[in-house]
Amino acid sequence: GQQLNQSPQSMFIQEGEDVSMNCTSSSIFNTWLWYKQDPGEGPVLLIALYKAGELTSNGRLTAQFGITRKDSFLNISASIPSDVGIYFCAGQRSGTYKYIFGTGTRLKVLA
Amino acid sequence: ETGVTQSPTHLIKTRGQQVTLRCSSQSGHNTVSWYQQALGQGPQFIFQYYREEENGRGNFPPRFSGLQFPNYSSELNVNALELDDSALYLCASSLAPSGRTHEQYFGPGTRLTVT
């Protein structure tokens, strides 16, 4: 099935470091959602973006809706061990109801 | 406020059998979407229900069907199970099918294993 490209695929970082990941598409989206999923659980919504160029924060997390509307970015500042998990982006095109999910970025934090 | 719940948590079925998975939406939400998540992949959209009708469908065959009830809970039915149907099935509810109220909140999922 169709999936968005997320980069990096996985990353190891030291506790306290900042993390950046992105999600790209060949299509234009009008909504971007970012989720975190822990093993064996459902995705948890972190941030929602609705407008090109929009920058939204949720605690140590900041996400941006790319100005081309074909990409989105998620940053995590001062990472902590509980940030471990898989981060997914999800995009919705105008006039459609479904979300297309990314391939995921697996984050591992070294204490 | 009650979150999205799904049942059962785990299920093992044999190829060719039929299965029904259940989802209760978050209180106040009227739209339910179902996703299939294979191991190591992102969720794939199966279909969405709004006002008890199918509102959109992904690339899944007709043996995947669903229902939404007046209380907005939903069922996913899969007939003639195949080995490739083994996956985590996720239900997500939202306040409306589109727009700024379309933030989707997921349940914990049902892990289906087909042998």
Side-chain angles (χ1 to χ4, degrees):
Chain A
Q2 183 181 6
Q3 291 190 90
L4 305 176
N5 294 317
Q6 283 188 245
S7 177
Q9 188 174 27
S10 64
M11 55 195 312
F12 284 89
I13 60 168
Q14 293 285 341
E15 183 177 356
E17 288 184 346
D18 296 344
V19 175
S20 292
M21 61 189 77
N22 65 66
C23 183
T24 60
S25 168
S26 57
S27 304
I28 290 174
F29 288 96
N30 66 339
T31 303
W32 287 97
L33 304 179
W34 282 93
Y35 288 90
K36 177 176 182 279
Q37 186 175 28
D38 292 328
E41 299 182 12
V44 174
L45 181 63
L46 301 174
I47 292 178
L49 301 162
Y50 296 100
K51 186 177 177 181
E54 181 181 357
L55 192 68
T56 298
S57 294
N58 178 8
R60 294 178 296 106
L61 278 62
T62 302
Q64 185 166 23
F65 195 136
I67 56 173
T68 66
R69 299 174 62 191
K70 293 183 178 181
D71 53 14
S72 182
F73 311 89
L74 177 68
N75 296 304
I76 305 173
S77 62
S79 58
I80 59 178
S82 63
D83 290 334
V84 166
I86 304 176
Y87 292 80
F88 288 102
C89 62
Q92 183 188 51
R93 285 195 284 261
S94 177
T96 68
Y97 298 115
K98 73 175 184 179
Y99 278 94
I100 301 171
F101 277 74
T103 50
T105 292
R106 184 181 298 273
L107 181 63
K108 301 181 183 181
V109 180
L110 304 174
Chain B
E1 184 177 271
T2 305
V4 180
T5 60
Q6 292 186 241
S7 63
T9 306
H10 297 88
L11 201 53
I12 299 175
K13 289 286 189 177
T14 303
R15 190 171 55 180
Q17 286 187 316
Q18 178 265 344
V19 69
T20 297
L21 310 181
R22 295 178 175 82
C23 170
S24 292
S25 60
Q26 183 168 316
S27 59
H29 286 187
N30 60 16
T31 304
V32 172
S33 301
W34 285 93
Y35 291 82
Q36 180 195 66
Q37 186 177 24
L39 201 61
Q41 297 186 20
Q44 295 285 325
F45 176 77
I46 302 175
F47 43 55
Q48 181 185 84
Y49 277 83
Y50 172 61
R51 293 183 175 178
E52 302 178 51
E53 292 192 359
E54 188 178 290
N55 197 37
R57 190 178 184 93
N59 296 325
F60 282 81
R63 58 190 185 84
F64 285 78
S65 63
L67 285 172
Q68 186 180 33
F69 301 98
N71 66 354
Y72 306 125
S73 66
S74 178
E75 287 183 352
L76 165 64
N77 299 290
V78 186
N79 293 321
L81 284 167
E82 301 177 0
L83 296 179
D84 285 349
D85 295 334
S86 295
L88 181 68
Y89 287 85
L90 295 162
C91 165
S93 74
S94 55
L95 189 57
S98 62
R100 287 180 175 262
T101 51
H102 195 204
E103 296 173 8
Q104 294 190 340
Y105 296 86
F106 282 87
T110 293
R111 172 69 63 185
L112 173 65
T113 302
V114 182
T115 62

